[in-house]
Amino acid sequence: MADFPIALADGLGDQLPSILDVEGKIPRALNELGGFDGHDVALVDAGAGLRHRQIEAFGARVVDVPAVGPSSRSVAPASVDAVVACWSGFRGVVTAEMSEVDRMLRPGGRLLVVHDYGRDDVSRLRGDLPEYGLWSRRDGPFLRGGFRVRVLHCWWTFNAVDDARAFLAEAFGGPGDALGAELKRPRLSWNVAIYHRDRPAAASG
């Protein structure tokens, strides 16, 4: 499940909710783009976790979908106003997935896809990922495929620099040690992209 962009060992992973995006920029931006209040939202690959609770808090009726494909056929045609996926879903633009999203969405509905954007401190920890290059370019699958993008300037926030250094070293080894040694304040810059696409008017329900 993908409430967060990384999977860490027990203990380390338990710290993520108190570290990543403590300002709540991600759920606020999802709500601004998706207009959740009083609407039906299909949440992909998140279960009844943090993102589910955040979206419900904005007044949405949330249905959890394990993945977009055969498992999402239980969602009736034209029955949701937004489809939301964070990190694990829509890793690129696949025609079959887009067709299934458009089947689920009502006219005027919107697909919201959250991925890391890069050009930040966090990207130094995770190596060469498509999120940090091709996906964010004009010729990449999202922008070329009819999506627009909103970039959020978020943070990984710690209580103290020493706490940040200890976490980074344990979670990421050498790259974490190197980044931790450079820290002057207890937070890391983290840029997050929300790629968003409206249901095409011509799509059949």
Side-chain angles (χ1 to χ4, degrees), residues 38-62:
H39 290 147
D40 298 294
V41 177
L43 180 60
V44 179
D45 191 31
L50 176 64
R51 304 302 165 195
H52 182 119
R53 296 192 298 272
Q54 288 175 333
I55 293 172
E56 271 193 335
F58 286 108
R61 296 177 292 271
V62 182

Side-chain angles (χ1 to χ4, degrees), residues 2 15 17 29 54 73 87 112 123 128 134 139 171 178 188 199-200 202:
Q15 297 180 52
Q54 288 175 333
R73 300 303 291 185
W87 292 291
L112 306 169
S123 61
D128 186 17
L134 177 63
D139 61 342
L188 280 65
R199 177 185 187 265

Side-chain angles (χ1 to χ4, degrees), residues 13 17 25 27 57 62 72 75 77 80 89 100 112 127 129 131 162 166 169-170 176 185-186 196-197 201:
K25 291 183 178 181
V62 182
S72 61
V75 179
V80 298
E100 176 60 8
L112 306 169
L129 300 178
E131 292 93 314
D162 285 346
E170 188 172 358
R185 54 185 179 176
H196 53 98
R197 169 189 179 272

